[in-house]
């Protein structure tokens, strides 16, 4: 495998760690309806470009410049050990954002590489490369068309990354299997599927089940002014995920559902102590491709 080079991203200004420079997001209408891969990609790439500055400013300290957090509960890879020993291994992060997790992999002796759909997130990755002196070679791309040769990686992972934003999840998992070496590991964290039964509210209103767990229509935000889809998140049940992996010969080794820590008072979107102490917010899955 030849290492990807950092993308040339010249047309946006440098980013300060506390930047909050993008304009307010426009009002949106929320729907649950079918959305295909092209529409998902056209919405989510620009959405993350708009949101990247605030995301890094708000959550950057929690994530750590060289840190690996699996979800809003704060469970780290150092504690969870989902990937195993990464030293000397080729590791791909799908939906890498600013590369914090891949930078952690490199700090542990692994050869971490990043891939993300968002132009702006990759600029933040470059900023952190320079700030930490620990560079993550990254490319702009999509989970459904990984720009790497067959059998390039020992580990492929996604920490709340691309998988929830992909309509053609079967294609994305096929791509992971293609680039994994025999004996390799695929690991990912997602919004826990049971959370789709509840309103996306960090308060007590978010504790009332009001939607069907089996309603697989994606969550869709539509710009009120233009009528265009501006954000899409896809829902699959736990059974769907098991079938996706098993049908491709992947063997599930671990399923983690992190508990909300006792003194953790962070609010992150719909996640909070109010909800997190009663219902899981994150599912972490590790599966192996047989040798």
């Amino acid at each position: 495998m030849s290492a990807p080079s950092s993308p040339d991203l010249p047309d946006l200004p440098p980013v300060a760690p506390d930047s909050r420079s993008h304009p307010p997001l426009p009002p949106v209408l929320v729907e649950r309806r079918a959305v295909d891969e092209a529409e998902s990609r056209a919405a989510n790439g620009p959405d993350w470009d708009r949101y990247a500055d605030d995301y890094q400013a708000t959550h950057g300290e929690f994530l750590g410049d060289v840190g690996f957090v699996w979800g809003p509960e704060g469970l780290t890879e150092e504690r969870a050990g989902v990937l195993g020993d990464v030293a000397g291994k080729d590791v791909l992060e799908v939906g890498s954002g600013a590369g914090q997790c891949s930078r952690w992999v490199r700090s542990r002796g692994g050869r971490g590489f990043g891939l993300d759909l968002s132009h702006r997130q990759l600029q933040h990755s470059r900023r952190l490369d320079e700030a930490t002196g620990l560079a993550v070679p990254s490319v702009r791309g999509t989970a459904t068309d990984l720009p790497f040769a067959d059998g390039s990686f020992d580990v492929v992972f996604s920490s709340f990354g691309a998988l929830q934003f992909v309509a053609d999840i079967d294609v994305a998992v096929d791509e992971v299997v293609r680039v994994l070496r025999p004996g390799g590991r695929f690991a990912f964290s997602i919004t826990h599927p049971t959370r789709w039964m509840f309103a996306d509210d960090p308060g007590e209103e978010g504790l009332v089940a009001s939607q069907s767990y089996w309603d697989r229509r994606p969550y869709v935000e539509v710009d009120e002014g233009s009528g265009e889809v501006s954000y899409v998140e896809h829902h699959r049940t736990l059974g769907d995920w098991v079938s996706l992996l098993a049908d491709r010969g992947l063997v599930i080794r671990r399923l983690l559902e992190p508990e909300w820590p006792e003194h953790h008072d962070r609010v992150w979107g719909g996640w909070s102590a109010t909800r997190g102490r009663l219902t899981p917010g994150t599912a972490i899955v590790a599966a192996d491709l047989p040798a």
Side-chain angles (χ1 to χ4, degrees):
M1 180 194 68
S2 59
S5 59
S6 297
D8 185 16
L9 306 172
D11 60 324
L12 291 177
V15 183
D18 61 349
S19 171
R20 300 172 187 269
S21 60
H22 80 263
L25 299 180
V28 296
L29 301 172
V30 174
E31 302 176 348
R32 295 290 294 273
R33 65 172 175 83
V35 176
D36 64 16
E37 179 62 29
E39 196 169 17
S40 294
R41 192 180 307 170
N44 288 329
D47 181 77
W48 272 105
D49 284 341
R50 289 189 296 268
Y51 181 43
D53 289 1
D54 275 358
Y55 179 85
Q56 296 299 333
T58 302
H59 303 298
E61 183 177 356
F62 177 73
L63 297 172
D65 293 351
V66 186
F68 196 138
V69 178
W70 278 110
E73 298 84 3
L75 179 64
T76 64
E77 171 58 13
E78 187 169 10
R79 286 178 52 212
V82 174
L83 302 187
D85 185 4
V86 297
K89 294 183 178 179
D90 294 309
V91 182
L92 174 64
E93 181 179 7
V94 179
S96 56
Q100 288 98 332
C101 295
S102 292
R103 207 166 282 108
W104 181 91
V105 167
R106 286 193 167 255
S107 76
R108 297 305 191 273
R111 293 180 290 274
F113 300 91
L115 176 142
D116 202 275
L117 184 62
S118 168
H119 181 117
R120 190 58 163 170
Q121 286 282 59
L122 291 174
Q123 286 195 310
H124 280 283
S125 185
R126 175 178 288 176
R127 170 178 62 82
L128 294 181
D129 287 347
E130 296 174 353
T132 64
L134 198 59
V136 175
S138 301
V139 295
R140 188 179 181 193
T142 173
T144 56
D145 188 15
L146 299 178
F148 304 100
D150 297 358
S152 292
F153 296 99
D154 302 295
V155 177
V156 177
F157 76 92
S158 184
S159 177
F160 263 84
L163 302 182
Q164 300 180 133
F165 308 108
V166 171
D168 292 344
I169 190 63
D170 53 338
V171 177
V173 177
D174 285 341
E175 281 290 273
V176 169
V177 171
R178 180 183 65 79
V179 302
L180 266 180
R181 293 172 182 145
R185 170 152 292 190
F186 175 35
F188 58 89
S189 61
I190 52 173
T191 301
H192 197 287
T194 58
R195 294 297 290 269
W196 286 98
M197 301 181 338
F198 307 98
D200 191 24
D201 187 317
E204 292 187 359
E205 291 185 8
L207 291 172
V208 179
S210 58
Q211 302 166 86
S212 171
Y213 172 72
W214 296 279
D215 183 355
R216 294 169 174 84
R217 294 175 300 169
Y219 171 90
V220 180
E221 293 181 358
V222 179
D223 184 283
E224 283 189 0
S226 67
E228 295 182 354
V229 174
S230 59
Y231 177 84
V232 181
E233 189 168 346
H234 295 270
H235 164 54
R236 287 103 189 175
T237 67
L238 281 173
D240 292 339
W241 283 108
V242 169
S243 295
L244 273 165
L245 300 175
D247 289 349
R248 287 153 180 83
L250 290 159
V251 180
I252 297 173
R253 300 300 187 188
R254 299 181 71 183
L255 170 60
L256 302 180
E257 299 165 295
E259 295 186 41
W260 195 271
E262 183 177 354
H263 301 295
H264 186 43
D265 59 0
R266 187 176 191 83
V267 175
W268 187 329
W271 291 278
S272 67
T274 300
R275 299 180 71 187
R277 290 178 182 141
L278 296 175
T279 183
T282 301
I284 306 169
V285 179
D288 291 341
L289 182 66

